[in-house]
Amino acid sequence: MTVESIDTDVLVIGGGNAALCAAIAARRKGAKVLVVEGAPKFYRGGNTRHTRNMRCAHDTATDTLTGPYTEDEFWDDLLRVTEGNTDEALARHMITKSKEMLTWITEQGVRFQPSLGGTLSLGRTNSFFLGGGRAMLNALYLTAEKLGIDVLYDAPVASLEIDNGTFRSATARVNGKDTKITAKSLVAAAGGFEANIDWLKEGWGECAENFLIRGTPYNRGDVLKMLLGSGVEAIGDPTQCHAVAIDARAPKFDGGIITRLDCVVFGIVVNRKAERFYDEGEDFWPKRYAIWGRLVAAQPDQIAYIIFDSKSLKKFMPSLFPPIEAQSIAELAQKLELPADTLEATVNGFNDAVQPGTFDHTVFDDCRTRGLAIEKTHWATKLEDPPYYAYPVRPGITFTYLGTRVDKEARMQMASGGGAENMFSAGEIMAGNVLGKGYAAGVGMTIGSVFGKIAGEGAAQHACN
């Protein structure tokens, strides 16, 4: 399209999982739908490009899931990782709706495969996309194309016209021209603001300069800022986010899943002072991997080092980058530019504290330390088999939790009270309703899929009535 004005029933802003689920759902309800994606076509899809799986409640085992995962268990897991910082009614609604999502999203062309192994421990709870997030995304785009949904790429939204909670139009930059898009309903699914370092610094301070952004550089929060500036009620803490420890050698943006490290449970983690600072064996990795970004962010220079020995090298999925290798702890310290005496003392003290036990990373085993200021409560084994290895890690921000408040219909709520007339949101831009803090693997995709479908159906109903 090269025209300078466009009219449609439902405008979807964004191009990832939530946006496509909304667009497809709206189209299947009879609405004319336009998707505007701020990124070029090659980079379409936001953080969905880097995902692997989705967490949904289900009653029985399937070809790709090893057993049932009840709504109550899902809720318990979410409650534990968020420490109660969630809208219970909305979260339980999402969990209930997630049960039908595996069938619905398969009907949109997405395919699944059995879980990956290793420390993920997700074979029963999470459905893995065949071919990963990009294949999942391509399937949704293919379905959208077949349904006649129009998509504009490289079309960032510059402004929104909103009148007392009623969306009127958006202005997007299309083919170098300001293009006015009028629509009867709006679905905002444009992600968080994690790629906006200046905005991150408002909450985190200067340390945000050392953060790496795991996903798209296009998630700058422009649409979110426009919505909040137009009277939509905010929810969430600007410093809360999905933040994991990723390889410090990763690029500033878009490193994706291949820079994530899942080896914390097999060793110890030290800071620049060569000191441990948290229990590496507190809980199963899918329920704790997303706390390590924040933990590292609190350390000097926002960097830490995962250290393990040769017996653990093949027990986890490696990073894109090879680990740093040494024949002794002192040599490893030298390569990492850490104080050798302190690192040796940390490792020796840890080894002395390890208790006899039977190692099994698939259960809460009895391998633990005793007598340390910071104990390792499970999966503790001595670091005594050279060569020794290390990965340097920094905070890797996936998405932010400050967003738009919504109700069970995914309808935006206004700061002045009540719901918006014709504005809905889905995905990371409203994830803070469910995720006040913490994270469990696959929940981001659940939020996007479930609320994307709800938002699309609600937007279509408003547009077509």
Side-chain angles (χ1 to χ4, degrees):
M1 295 181 183
T2 57
V3 295
E4 295 184 34
S5 64
I6 303 171
D7 184 66
T8 190
D9 291 335
V10 175
L11 171 62
V12 178
I13 303 176
N17 167 54
L20 268 292
C21 286
I24 291 169
R27 184 73 186 108
R28 291 198 182 281
K29 289 293 184 180
K32 180 182 178 182
V33 181
L34 172 66
V35 174
V36 293
E37 162 66 289
K41 185 174 182 179
F42 180 82
Y43 291 104
R44 70 184 183 185
N47 290 332
T48 303
R49 296 161 49 239
H50 299 302
T51 59
R52 293 190 294 201
N53 60 81
M54 179 168 63
R55 182 181 293 254
C56 292
H58 49 276
D59 293 327
T60 61
T62 70
D63 291 342
T64 57
L65 292 162
T66 61
Y69 185 48
T70 66
E71 293 182 41
D72 285 341
E73 185 180 0
F74 193 158
W75 165 246
D76 288 342
D77 286 342
L78 185 64
L79 189 64
R80 186 179 305 112
V81 298
T82 61
E83 298 178 358
N85 289 276
T86 183
D87 181 325
E88 180 173 352
L90 206 62
R92 286 187 178 274
H93 180 64
M94 178 198 74
I95 290 169
T96 297
K97 291 295 185 181
S98 77
K99 293 183 74 171
E100 65 189 47
M101 187 50 58
L102 292 178
T103 299
W104 184 84
I105 209 161
T106 299
E107 291 171 349
Q108 314 317 315
V110 176
R111 296 292 179 264
F112 295 101
Q113 65 184 33
S115 170
L116 301 171
T119 54
L120 293 177
S121 306
L122 296 172
R124 182 174 61 84
T125 60
N126 288 41
S127 295
F128 279 70
F129 306 121
L130 179 63
R134 190 181 287 272
M136 180 260 196
L137 196 64
N138 289 342
L140 293 179
Y141 270 101
L142 180 60
T143 297
E145 180 182 348
K146 290 177 178 177
L147 290 173
I149 296 170
D150 292 319
V151 180
L152 296 174
Y153 296 106
D154 208 1
V157 171
S159 65
L160 298 174
E161 182 186 357
I162 296 171
D163 180 17
N164 292 323
T166 300
F167 171 77
R168 303 297 185 190
S169 68
T171 299
R173 194 72 176 165
V174 181
N175 296 322
K177 296 180 180 180
D178 284 340
T179 302
K180 184 176 182 179
I181 304 169
T182 58
K184 298 173 184 175
S185 299
L186 169 71
V187 177
F193 63 90
E194 63 276 1
N196 189 331
I197 304 301
D198 288 338
W199 196 346
L200 290 177
K201 287 166 69 173
E202 290 179 16
W204 286 91
E206 289 301 315
C207 71
E209 288 285 357
N210 288 326
F211 294 175
L212 303 175
I213 313 307
R214 298 177 71 204
T216 173
Y218 298 96
N219 278 11
R220 298 186 49 80
D222 296 335
V223 173
L224 172 60
K225 188 162 286 190
M226 293 173 204
L227 291 169
L228 299 183
S230 298
V232 174
E233 184 178 358
I235 190 169
D237 179 342
T239 68
Q240 291 295 334
C241 54
H242 177 359
V244 305
I246 68 172
D247 199 303
R249 297 163 291 183
K252 183 69 174 178
F253 296 100
D254 224 26
I257 199 74
I258 56 174
T259 62
R260 193 177 109 184
L261 290 161
D262 296 326
C263 52
V264 166
V265 298
F266 294 115
I268 62 174
V269 185
V270 301
N271 57 22
R272 296 254 343 150
K273 298 178 181 179
E275 297 171 343
R276 291 176 62 243
F277 52 89
Y278 199 79
D279 176 4
E280 301 91 347
E282 181 181 43
D283 203 343
F284 291 111
W285 189 236
K287 299 175 184 176
R288 280 296 178 268
Y289 78 100
I291 71 170
W292 279 90
R294 298 185 69 85
L295 292 171
V296 175
Q299 301 308 306
D301 298 330
Q302 293 73 56
I303 195 165
Y305 307 86
I306 307 169
I307 297 174
F308 55 98
D309 65 9
S310 61
K311 64 178 173 288
S312 300
L313 183 62
K314 300 296 179 68
K315 292 181 178 179
F316 58 90
M317 186 174 296
S319 165
L320 171 66
F321 304 95
I324 296 166
E325 178 180 344
Q327 291 301 314
S328 68
I329 295 298
E331 181 188 358
L332 190 63
Q334 181 181 20
K335 290 186 174 182
L336 299 176
E337 299 182 351
L338 298 178
D341 291 346
T342 306
L343 185 59
E344 287 184 311
T346 295
V347 172
N348 290 337
F350 176 81
N351 287 345
D352 291 342
V354 171
Q355 302 300 299
T358 302
F359 180 86
D360 184 350
H361 70 79
T362 65
V363 300
F364 286 123
D365 68 9
D366 57 353
C367 293
R368 58 159 298 160
T369 62
R370 183 173 298 160
L372 297 177
I374 300 173
E375 303 285 13
K376 184 173 182 181
T377 49
H378 301 285
W379 313 301
T381 58
K382 293 183 179 182
L383 306 181
E384 58 183 2
D385 299 318
Y388 300 95
Y389 299 94
Y391 283 107
V393 291
R394 287 198 181 277
I397 312 301
T398 309
F399 64 92
T400 47
Y401 292 174
L402 175 69
T404 58
R405 186 181 290 276
V406 300
D407 63 11
K408 290 182 179 180
E409 297 177 337
R411 186 183 301 272
M412 295 186 213
Q413 302 299 291
M414 304 306 293
S416 58
E421 174 69 21
N422 61 346
M423 299 193 300
F424 304 81
S425 60
E428 294 172 5
I429 201 171
M430 48 68 64
N433 291 271
V434 175
L435 295 169
K437 66 182 296 187
Y439 191 73
V443 169
M445 293 297 285
T446 314
I447 293 171
S449 299
V450 169
F451 286 103
K453 181 174 183 288
I454 293 172
E457 291 176 344
Q461 182 177 0
H462 181 274
C464 297
N465 285 345

